[in-house]
Amino acid sequence: MTEWFEWRDAPASARFAVLGDPISHSLSPDIHGAAIGSNGEYVALRVPAGELDSAIRLLQELGYIGVNITVPLKVEALQLCRVLDPVATRVGAVNTITLGTRSGANTDVAGFVASLNGRSIQSALILGSGGSARAVAVGLDSLGPRLACWARSGSDAVDRLARETATAVESVTSLRDIRLYDLVVNCTSASMQGASLPVEWEGANPDALAYDLFYGPSKFLEGAATHGLSTMDGKEMLILQAAVAFEIWHGRQAPLDAMRRALA
Ligand code: NDP
């Protein structure tokens, strides 16, 4: 459990923070603390939905330099930025703000793409249609595979994702034909809830990768591993999106080894 503060009690000695609600589970203070080389300069602050503007104003007064944004504030953050990078605009969510200029970026896209480490993908299935699914769709779109998406709320949610992120994503309503894909990415919060998804792994392509953005073991990855697929959780993406945020704020290459060691 990470040490965290209510945003009104933000320590004046810190310069960076991750903002969200809940925030006690966040690993960002560990990763950024290791990258900066000092604990206490990057802290976790609980900011309920609707309070982000006030929190950011206080942090600016205290001299904070940058903040990461997590659930449920990424869309609210987009609306509060004066300058947006084109990726954040396309995804419709901001996860990194530089406070001096109120510039917003979305580093989840670059973090996700880098985490695939050049893997060749012809056909990918995205599960979910929320913020991370939008980031993954934009990231995969830049790599060129055929894209399909399943959402429990149905094809309207997928059509909206496709339209708003300008990606060619086909909507699928059943998870029976998993053999069609060489990448299946779980972008739902099912794993966070300890819940299962109705994926039928039987007959899946054994060379496929099952990727869960959640960091830690999950029923989704257990099911895939049982059927012989390679698996990956969300830790590497988390580290790589933090590395891009670090580079925006500090203007130098992120010390990836130290950041990975922080989560080992
Ligand atoms: P959102 O709340 O924006 O979206 C969640 C999505 O999951 C929605 O489509 C929702 O459907 C769906 N969903 C929720 N519960 C279930 C369920 N039981 N079965 C099927 N679908 C479900 O969340 P995010 O996209 O921001 O985050 C999703 C996951 O990704 C979280 O586990 C988060 O920790 C992880 N994540 C990891 C990152 C990393 O760097 N590794 C970065 C960002 C996120 P509906 O709309 O119908 O409610």
Side-chain angles (χ1 to χ4, degrees):
M1 190 82 75
T2 302
E3 186 192 12
W4 59 275
F5 306 86
E6 297 291 348
W7 67 263
R8 289 184 178 80
D9 302 325
S13 53
R15 288 295 163 263
F16 303 93
V18 58
L19 316 182
D21 184 22
I23 203 62
S24 60
H25 66 286
S26 177
L27 300 174
S28 293
D30 299 323
I31 301 174
H32 280 276
I36 295 167
S38 110
N39 283 335
E41 218 170 298
Y42 185 113
V43 293
L45 303 177
R46 191 176 81 88
V47 178
E51 297 182 20
L52 184 59
D53 193 22
S54 310
I56 284 180
R57 285 171 196 275
L58 173 69
L59 297 179
Q60 271 179 303
E61 277 167 27
L62 291 175
Y64 278 54
I65 296 168
V67 291
N68 286 127
I69 306 290
T70 187
V71 177
L73 304 172
K74 288 185 186 181
V75 175
E76 199 175 325
L78 181 97
Q79 288 149 3
L80 296 174
C81 287
R82 281 198 289 269
V83 186
L84 286 172
D85 81 0
V87 176
T89 304
R90 191 170 166 201
V91 174
V94 157
N95 77 333
T96 301
I97 303 179
T98 305
L99 293 175
T101 49
R102 281 267 183 131
S103 311
N106 186 307
T107 68
D108 283 336
V109 174
F112 172 72
V113 170
S115 74
L116 292 172
N117 201 16
R119 189 180 179 98
S120 160
I121 302 158
Q122 308 304 321
S123 178
L125 175 63
I126 299 167
L127 307 178
S129 60
S132 63
R134 296 166 68 102
V136 164
V138 169
L140 286 173
D141 189 56
S142 69
L143 303 178
R146 202 163 56 78
L147 290 182
C149 179
W150 170 91
R152 69 173 173 183
S153 44
S155 49
D156 282 356
V158 176
D159 293 345
R160 197 165 50 248
L161 175 150
R163 197 175 54 249
E164 291 176 1
T165 60
T167 47
V169 179
E170 179 200 349
S171 168
V172 295
T173 51
S174 142
L175 296 178
R176 274 191 219 111
D177 290 327
I178 291 297
R179 64 184 165 76
L180 299 176
Y181 308 102
D182 46 30
L183 173 69
V184 183
V185 196
N186 180 13
C187 303
T188 76
S189 14
S191 300
M192 214 151 85
Q193 306 151 8
S196 306
L197 292 168
V199 182
E200 294 188 20
W201 293 110
E202 215 63 54
N205 170 2
D207 296 327
L209 173 67
Y211 189 148
D212 198 332
L213 296 199
F214 176 72
Y215 19 94
S218 67
K219 290 182 178 158
F220 173 80
L221 292 185
E222 273 167 34
T226 306
H227 288 84
L229 279 78
S230 312
T231 61
M232 180 166 172
D233 75 12
K235 275 202 199 89
E236 186 66 4
M237 173 177 169
L238 188 72
I239 290 164
L240 293 171
Q241 64 77 26
V244 180
F246 179 94
E247 285 163 16
I248 290 173
W249 294 330
H250 299 270
R252 62 184 166 90
Q253 217 177 349
L256 277 176
D257 288 346
M259 295 166 91
R260 288 197 178 101
R261 271 198 305 276
L263 294 197

